[in-house]
Amino acid sequence: MEHRAHPFWFQKYCPSHDNDGTPSCFSCERKEPWGARYTTLTDGRKLCLECLDHAIMDIHECQPLYLDMEKFCESLNIVVGQQVPLLLVGREGENRSLKDMIREPYKLVPGCKLTTFHILYGLPRLLTGLTLAHLMMRVWLLRLRGRRFLTQHVEGGICQVLAYMWLNTELMSGYGSTVASTSSSPLTLSSTSSRSEFERKLGEFLKCLIESDTSVYGDGFRAGYQSIEWTCINLYNRVNIPSYASKWNNLTNLILSCHHPF
């Protein structure tokens, strides 16, 4: 019998389940197994029990993450200047996939200011944070004076770089990484002391989605992240400081030092 398998989770299933209405978890993409029941949210999205266990369902649960994200951004000299109101919303009939949501959390109308963060409720904490990091970088770029030269490729890529870096920070800090041991490093910001095996795996899955994105945002991410890596290597060779830690302090310098970051 022919089987298919998810490229990351390696969950095997019959090809007919792609078209017979078998639910898939919105956050991790795994299909509902036989004998299990996924939770249905009010907007129709399905969540597996593992993702539901880590889901942020209301604004009160999200506020600590928002404050942590502000501190993380400020440690990289990414200062928005004011706290943008945050709302947790449903899909409201917009049938966007997980990949669409990660690469572009919202549709920005040219000439309009972003006055409120709209983030889907019911997403696991890591996915919520990923979205929030992307949005905060968007706002910071919008408020930079004289930076209208940024193309969709560059701007989207920069936002994905910050989201990816935050996700890396969370995964490492959750396991007591020695990288976060110095007081001068912004990697000490996470308040999470340990992570479940599933949450760690989910984080790796989200990283994989960003890395393998074939859209213009994926191209921008790979170009931007490579630029940062080369900057860190050059700094390491010149001043003998840890290249990983220098990455966090040179993102904004890379953007502001040239008209075309990558």
Side-chain angles (χ1 to χ4, degrees):
M1 180 182 293
E2 181 185 0
H3 286 88
R4 290 179 183 170
H6 190 280
F8 180 85
W9 301 102
F10 302 110
Q11 180 192 37
K12 292 184 178 181
Y13 62 93
C14 178
S16 63
H17 293 320
D18 284 333
N19 303 302
D20 66 1
T22 299
S24 295
C25 177
F26 181 83
S27 296
C28 70
E29 295 186 344
R30 294 182 301 172
K31 292 194 176 296
E32 182 181 75
W34 181 264
R37 288 293 179 185
Y38 282 3
T39 297
T40 303
L41 301 180
T42 56
D43 58 5
R45 285 177 292 139
K46 299 282 187 176
L47 282 186
C48 69
L49 296 181
E50 288 87 354
C51 285
L52 180 63
D53 189 47
H54 297 90
I56 292 181
M57 303 301 291
D58 59 50
I59 192 66
H60 300 292
E61 294 178 351
C62 193
Q63 198 63 29
L65 175 61
Y66 190 9
L67 296 177
D68 283 347
M69 186 63 67
E70 284 187 324
K71 293 178 182 178
F72 173 78
C73 290
E74 289 172 0
S75 73
L76 301 176
N77 297 320
I78 300 172
V79 181
V80 172
Q82 68 181 59
Q83 190 174 68
V84 180
L86 173 65
L87 291 178
L88 296 186
V89 299
R91 282 199 296 185
E92 299 177 349
E94 186 179 9
N95 189 22
R96 304 178 70 205
S97 69
L98 174 63
K99 294 182 179 66
D100 291 333
M101 192 203 67
I102 287 179
R103 70 171 66 108
E104 192 175 14
Y106 66 97
K107 297 290 185 180
L108 182 63
V109 178
C112 294
K113 295 181 179 180
L114 182 63
T115 57
T116 307
F117 287 150
H118 287 189
I119 298 179
L120 287 178
Y121 83 96
L123 300 179
R125 181 183 180 278
L126 291 180
L127 183 50
T128 302
L130 199 69
T131 305
L132 191 55
H134 183 114
L135 289 172
M136 293 191 77
M137 191 63 175
R138 286 272 186 181
V139 172
W140 186 74
L141 290 174
L142 285 171
R143 294 183 177 179
L144 280 180
R145 294 182 178 179
R147 296 292 154 180
R148 296 179 181 178
F149 62 87
L150 292 180
T151 63
Q152 184 185 41
H153 157 264
V154 172
E155 183 176 335
I158 292 173
C159 294
Q160 291 297 73
V161 167
L162 181 68
Y164 187 87
M165 292 166 70
W166 175 82
L167 188 55
N168 260 336
T169 304
E170 287 294 297
L171 293 178
M172 288 188 299
S173 61
Y175 284 92
S177 171
T178 55
V179 178
S181 60
T182 60
S183 59
S184 60
S185 171
L187 298 179
T188 58
L189 291 173
S190 175
S191 60
T192 306
S193 59
S194 62
R195 299 203 180 281
S196 68
E197 179 63 22
F198 172 76
E199 193 175 20
R200 183 196 65 79
K201 193 71 173 178
L202 179 64
E204 294 298 331
F205 167 62
L206 297 175
K207 286 176 58 178
C208 184
L209 286 183
I210 296 176
E211 294 166 351
S212 60
D213 185 6
T214 58
S215 73
V216 64
Y217 295 97
D219 294 338
F221 162 75
R222 285 182 287 274
Y225 201 72
Q226 185 180 46
S227 297
I228 291 174
E229 291 289 351
W230 277 110
T231 300
C232 292
I233 290 173
N234 292 334
L235 284 172
Y236 181 82
N237 291 335
R238 287 202 300 264
V239 297
N240 196 30
I241 60 176
S243 61
Y244 193 86
S246 68
K247 178 186 307 180
W248 309 93
N249 296 320
N250 285 280
L251 174 61
T252 53
N253 290 337
L254 179 66
I255 298 170
L256 296 172
S257 63
C258 56
H259 288 292
H260 296 285
F262 42 88

